[in-house]
Amino acid sequence: MAKRSVIPFGPQHPVLPEPLQLKLVMEDEKVVEAIPAIGYVHRGLERLAQEKDYQQVTYLAERVCGICSFIHSLTFCQGIEELMNVTVPDRAKFLRVMWSEMHRMHSHLLWLGLTADAFGFESLFMQGMRTRETILQLMESTAGARIMLGTCTVGGVRRDIESSAFGEINTALDSVARDLDQMAPTILNDYSVRERLVGVGTITAQQAFETGAVGPVAKACGFARDFRTTGYAAYGQLDFKPVTETAGDCFARTQVRFAELYQSVDLIRQCMAKMPAGPIAVPVKGNPDGEIIARTEQPRGEVIYYIKGNGTKNLERLRIRTPTFANIPALLKMLPGCQLTDVPVIILTIDPCISCTER
Amino acid sequence: MSETIIKLLIAIVAAPLVGAIIAGLDRKVTARMQGRVGPPILQPIYDVLKLLIKQPIFLNRVQILYAFMHLAFMMLTLVLLILGQDLLLTLFVHAFATISLILGGMCVRSPYSRIGSQRKTLMLLAYEPILVIMVVGIYLSQGSFMASDVVAAGAKPLLLSLPLVFIAYMMAMAIELQKSPFDVASSHHAHQEIVKGVTLEYAGPFLAIIEIAHFYEVFLLFAVVYFFWAPYNLANAAVGMALAAGAFLFHIVLDNTFARLPAMWIVRFMWVIVFLMATTNIIWLYRLGTI
Amino acid sequence: MLTNVKEISRDTLLNEVAAMMPQGYRFVTMTCVDCGEYHDIMYHFDKDYVLSTLRLKLLKGQKLPSISDIIFAAIIVENEIRDLFGIPVKGLALNYEGRFLLTEDAPIAPFNKPVVNTETKSNN
Amino acid sequence: MRIFTFVNNVWQNITSRPATRLYPFTPRTPIAGARGHLQIDADTCIYCGICQKRCPSNALAVTREPKTWTLDPYKCIVCSYCVEACPKKCLSMNPAHK
Amino acid sequence: MSVLAKSPWVVHFNCNSCNGCDIEFLACLCPTYDVERFGVVHVGNPKHADILVVTGSVNHRNARVLANVYQQMPSPKVVVACGVCTSSGGIFADCYNVLGGVDKFIPVDVFVPGCPPRPEAMIDGIVKAVGILAAKAKGIETPVADKPRITVSPSPKPVDETPAQEPDEVGAVK
Amino acid sequence: MNDINTLALLGVIAGPVIFAAAIYFTKQTKLRNILVLGAALLTSALGIFIAASPSANVYPDSWVVYAGAGLEIVMTLAVLAIAYNIRSWAVGLFGTIQLVLVVISEFMHGESSIGPAFVVDDLSRVMVAIVSVVGSLILVYSIGYMKEHEHHAPATARSTNTFMFFLVGFIGAMNGLVLANDMKWLGCFFEATTICSFVLIGHDRTREAAKNAARAILINSFGGVALTIGAFLALLKGSTQYSGILYHADIIAFSFIALAGLVKSAQMPFQSWLLGAMVAPTPVSALLHSATMVNIGVYLVLRAAPAFVGTKLMYFIAIIGAFSFAATSALAIAQSNGKKVLAYSTIGNLGLIFTCAGIDSPLGYSAAIMLLCFHAVSKGLLFLCMGTIEQKIGSRDIEDMGSLLREMPLTTVITLIGMASMLVPPFGMLLSKWLAIEAAISSPIVLLLVVIGSALTVLFWAKWIGRITTVSYHPWYTIERISISKQSVLAILATIVVIAGLGAILLYRDLFVDIAIRAYQGTYISQSDMKLFEAAGNIPYWPFMAFIGLALVAGILAYFTVNASNVRAPFLCGENVPGSTKTYEFRSVKDSSHLAWSSSLYLRHIFEESKTTMWANLIAAVIILSMFAAIGVL
Ligand code: NFV
Ligand code: SF4
Ligand code: SF4
Ligand code: SF4
């Protein structure tokens, strides 16, 4: 019996955009054991949040992660608002949804690109990133920045999207939808792509439930678990159904995310159609007190903010449980038994965000 | 004799340049296919020149020896071809050039480099029989193993008698050019699970040596298309050119429309489908009794 | 406000937790808050988008029994609590021994109250 | 299940102009309202220090005596919070990046 | 111009970044910005790289990784620090697990401010880095990059850029 | 034939046997070693002398023939004794059949003594040269080897005297076998080598050794039976000599002899005994089981090849050989036991020789002889290296050979030379593989198998070489301590390998081509075969030398000019543990250090030994049966 190979996979590894290490134990190229070692992006953000003014924390929360930043600030604001009984104007809610969905799209497109890169489809990566640029541009013109929108604030939003801009948004969405249509046959039907995704990294619905998987990982196993259906922000007034698949493999996760892209296009369009008039923010006075749990749906699944205020401007405790954090146990179930070639694909189809995970 | 020597010298100098320009064109066209502007066409040459002046970092000395062996045997392959030598022998020399590279990747204690080498060995395993079959096919249709006979005036055009083998050769070529879906051992953009694979631990001038050897290889591969598959005489140079250009485009399109597939998939594909294809062609030749 | 909170004790913890899954509750996460003399440790479960929480008051110095044998998903968060609050967790399925998020030269249990960060770093 | 599904895309790319913006040769005009970098009108400022207090990133330092306002652009996260907070509206965001 | 300036290969290390800078760097590689126009290749392997693009601040665990990556690059090499985290720790400067900007650990040649910097800004940074690379190849001493603060005061209106005055920045020459 | 040549002939056969007897009774180790050395010197001198002398036939007095018959009976009886000893009814059965046949044939008369009893021709001279030179070197090596082996060997092991007796004696038997033409003598020496092999495999007398020895004698005495049947059938047609069989083109008789050859050369499905034989001390593996004894099979077939040109039998032999080559190459991939890899590779190469012989064109013939020579030398060397390595690191596992270049630079470099000679153009092995493929061009199935096989061989050689040349970047200047006898033999063999390897093209052109031409004189050769044959003889030599030289010079220059300050740790995703000696350790879980390790590729899930062996054996058996069917025996 030959010795097993032991290799470090990460932290500085070109297929992983983020520092994460897996200690892989392999036989030939078959992974026998994969143990994650993280902590390369742990900053201690939650602790910092306890030292800052809760208003400032909005900007801090946004920087938990650059990929899902807006929804982080949104979740935080929703939590504080609930704690302080602030009623957010309707228009602000719709605007929040619009930016959330833009963020979801940019996140999914980025994921698409990175996954394509992981299975060595360079031009698909380029195409995904190119499409994503349209969204980024949209965000820049509506919010003033490409990534860190900074538009969410306690009590509403900081910027309005004038209806005059809707035309531009619609055009951009059209072009995205067109690009997606063009990529669809490749992503969903191409032989080589399917060869790399179908049947790889499969988990059963039972396993997904036990490991507490969320977001597309859970949806790909048939759980229609999408926190947007609870109707936070303006989602209650929009019409959509969570996307699900049943196979539970990398391909199913891909399908889910790809369908969610279309869904987001649709949601933004609905927002524009249903956008109410009115103020975009209400003034907020006082300080938060008490405990609250705020939940929203991130691109990768549900995020949980536990906020504990003590009546001062500083928070007593802020805890963020991000979707990737919840998906890592599922990842650990997927890896053993796969081939080394599949490792990046499996990792990327849970769409890990280590920055979120470690905060 | 002296004419041969001059021919050789020109070839040895010109081949890597041509190879580099082909590689540069490749990058440019790839970029355009991805909707980008892309680098200048001479980029590969800049790259090599740059590598030559970088700090020569290395892991162990054996590695360096292998790099030179890789280059020397690649050059020898070219020389044997130009001398019109036995194709099979040339092929073996070429295989050994690849083996040198493999060994260079294996002789370091760097897991990714070693895994890259192992995959490269599998790739060699995948395409070498195809190339041998190709040479056999050439023998069957030309009655000789000698390169000089294949390109001799009046030789039969290979494409007509070996169409399937030509396709098989395209596949083997794609592996050697490290094109998707066959870029498992080392790819030009290093975004893969084994980083850069075989050449991971080569840096600076040593990497430049390997790059130059790669230019030779690119030249060789296209030269085979140009000289062998269309009858080699000046009147038909255009056909050869078109064929080479077609092959070039084919590989770029292939690269841009496929995901990387696992090494074992490639071995299976080459040994089952491509091998069968090539042997069908060969059997057909046997049946025709062209021999 | 937090709803569906059930106070439990250290002894009943494992049984309570074990009873959740069969009822269709999905393990969500754990939260730990430093409340002075004790740590408030909350186990969040979800069923149909409604959170239920088991709340455990763990006196400082006490060990926390791991639920990772019952719920594999808890290993990550338990290791995190081990790191950030310095609470020793007993029987972890995959124990990083306090080296999960933090390294040896990082601050110890940074989320505990008494650790007031006295030297403010680089504020102009 | 098909192969060469991406050829369409590739073909379109190669037959149309590349999507590349030729920055820095042809710079793009910044989008109005974008947050590029922070600017101050030193004469309107009253050096009250409110912006410093609000800044989430401690990028500002204001002293009343002598009257100075210092920005560390290598700390500023361009959030514009200070711009909103300033009572004199002397801060503004320049849409161009620095 | 030195050939080095024509073929800058880049390795990117995400060093505690929130991904914001990361993905903007990725955007540089993509069709819209396409840094390959300058010969940039994202090699992913420090041994092949000329430029190290770092995003994010340094924490206790990744400090050693950063040092290793830097050490494994063959000289001449240039470091580009993208984003305010990388420059000073940015908004996270006061976090317990953040040790500060990368300049505390490896010599940085170019700082690109912004949170995250726009791809254009990063391209500027890389172009600048390429110049430094060429200079280094010729053996010319290049100064360590500085991070000038902007100080204004009311009177005659000298809007000037003065070098930093803090002790750890004294070495920064203009 | 002059007397001096006859004397040399006698010397090369009987000399070693006499020495062996003397060695057996020597009490002193020193003296014994001197005697071994003497035997080696004498044999190699005589061997070279015979190899250099002209071809000749020896027509002895009739008593010599009777002596042969007598000795054959003695050998058969010895086999029966062994059968009793190991309680193997099957061996007993085989022995009895042989005995019966031999005794019956005593009472029959053929065209007695029309031919020579011993023949010195091209082929036998080549074989004698190999046996005597390589064999003698191995003898010298085993002096040092056995000294060490005595320390590690289990208490059950037989005495070194016995070992040396059989080892030295074997060389005599082997020489006799290759020179014999008389079927009686042939049979007698054939059995003698089988017995030597049995005893030497079982030398350690451990359970495993005993088991494997028993398997070896079982399978080989089956070969013996085949040979005896062949001889008997030949006798029925009147020939008592091998040349007679060839003269009459007695294909039925020859098919049995060929079967005996396949067994002796451990071709599929008879390979298991050779694999088991690897438990023996390494000199045994080197001498009997790779360099000499296993060559008997191919030798017997090669002799006959020109006589059976174009027969179905030859075609089948080619297929069996090619199949063995492909199958063992595949099997070797999954092996991490170095000796086993070598064993598989040996079987494979013998298979290739069968193939070349079976192709029966002068090109194939020349390739076969070249392969025979180069393989014997290279494999002998490799086995000796393996032995040296094993005694030093205490393991045969390829994966354990990672730091060899530092620990035992000399042996490792020599091992590398040995391995390189299997792989590098224009070394002999590669050259002959090339010739083999060209020769096989007219039989597609053979061609296919050979192509597959040679592609597969690359996999395990590259893996092994890669593992051995793996070094960390520490300056390594270890002086290697191994006994002088081992060291000198390795050095001499390596020198032979290098010189012969580099000159392989010349050797081929000037020697093997001639041999093939002589062998095929008067045989019909197709025009295309002839054309190939001529072309192969015309490959250029100097480009090879020039570029190998270039690589070596440039590489070695760079090798010595690179500066140690440019050494960097390997890429471990940035998590290298700093420090000069631990650079292949990385930090991982809990910040602790782990050794980064990547084992080689074994593809066990594809080439799992027992399953692959089963299928391969099945197919091989079918091929052999169809061979007999094709020539009308079945
Ligand atoms: N989606 C998302 Fe996050 C959050 N929260 C998560 O894992 O991306 Ni950075
Ligand atoms: S808040 Fe406005 S006025 Fe006050 S110091 Fe800042 S810039 Fe000046
Ligand atoms: S823009 Fe934000 S970070 Fe920058 S100075 Fe203003 S408040 Fe501070
Ligand atoms: S500078 Fe801003 S965007 Fe970049 S890593 Fe830091 S927080 Fe994220």
Side-chain angles (χ1 to χ4, degrees), chain C residues 1-22:
Chain C
M1 306 306 111
L2 271 188
T3 44
N4 300 337
V5 182
K6 181 170 170 195
E7 304 279 339
I8 53 165
S9 76
R10 202 159 67 113
D11 309 324
T12 57
L13 170 69
L14 292 182
N15 290 337
E16 292 276 356
V17 168
M20 294 303 272
M21 283 268 222

Side-chain angles (χ1 to χ4, degrees), chain D residues 40 45-52 62 69 85-88 90-91:
Chain D
I40 183 167
C45 175
I46 52 170
Y47 301 92
C48 61
I50 292 181
C51 52
Q52 174 190 348
V62 181
W69 178 95
C86 174
K88 302 302 286 184
C90 58
L91 292 173

Side-chain angles (χ1 to χ4, degrees), chain A residues 56 144 148 158 182 190-191, chain D residues 2 5 12 35 54 84:
Chain A
Q56 292 174 340
M148 296 295 176
R158 290 164 75 196
Q182 213 172 46
D190 190 77
Y191 172 75
Chain D
R2 290 171 295 160
T5 52
Q12 202 176 49
R35 303 198 305 273
R54 290 293 175 87
E84 281 168 17

Side-chain angles (χ1 to χ4, degrees), chain C residues 17-105:
Chain C
V17 168
M20 294 303 272
M21 283 268 222
Q23 295 171 36
Y25 282 96
R26 173 180 61 102
F27 176 74
V28 175
T29 194
M30 291 161 66
T31 301
C32 180
V33 183
D34 184 4
C35 298
E37 283 95 70
Y38 60 91
H39 283 114
D40 226 352
I41 295 178
M42 284 164 269
Y43 296 82
H44 306 295
F45 291 86
D46 174 292
K47 188 177 183 181
D48 302 330
Y49 303 113
V50 180
L51 267 195
S52 309
T53 301
L54 303 178
R55 194 197 289 265
L56 169 70
K57 284 191 175 20
L58 189 75
L59 291 180
K60 288 202 170 160
Q62 277 184 330
K63 280 192 178 165
L64 178 69
S66 168
I67 61 165
S68 59
D69 279 342
I70 310 166
I71 299 171
F72 174 73
I75 47 168
I76 305 274
V77 63
E78 283 185 341
N79 271 302
E80 183 185 290
I81 289 178
R82 163 81 187 79
D83 266 29
L84 301 184
F85 292 87
I87 300 173
V89 184
K90 219 169 38 195
L92 259 174
L94 180 60
N95 194 345
Y96 286 80
E97 292 157 12
R99 296 274 175 276
F100 186 56
L101 291 176
L102 300 175
T103 46
E104 48 198 349
D105 42 0

Side-chain angles (χ1 to χ4, degrees), chain D residues 38 51 54-57 59-60 71 75-83 93:
Chain D
L38 186 63
C51 52
R54 290 293 175 87
C55 177
S57 175
L60 292 172
L71 165 71
K75 266 195 121 182
C76 170
I77 57 168
V78 257
C79 62
S80 209
Y81 195 32
C82 53
V83 178
M93 270 295 164

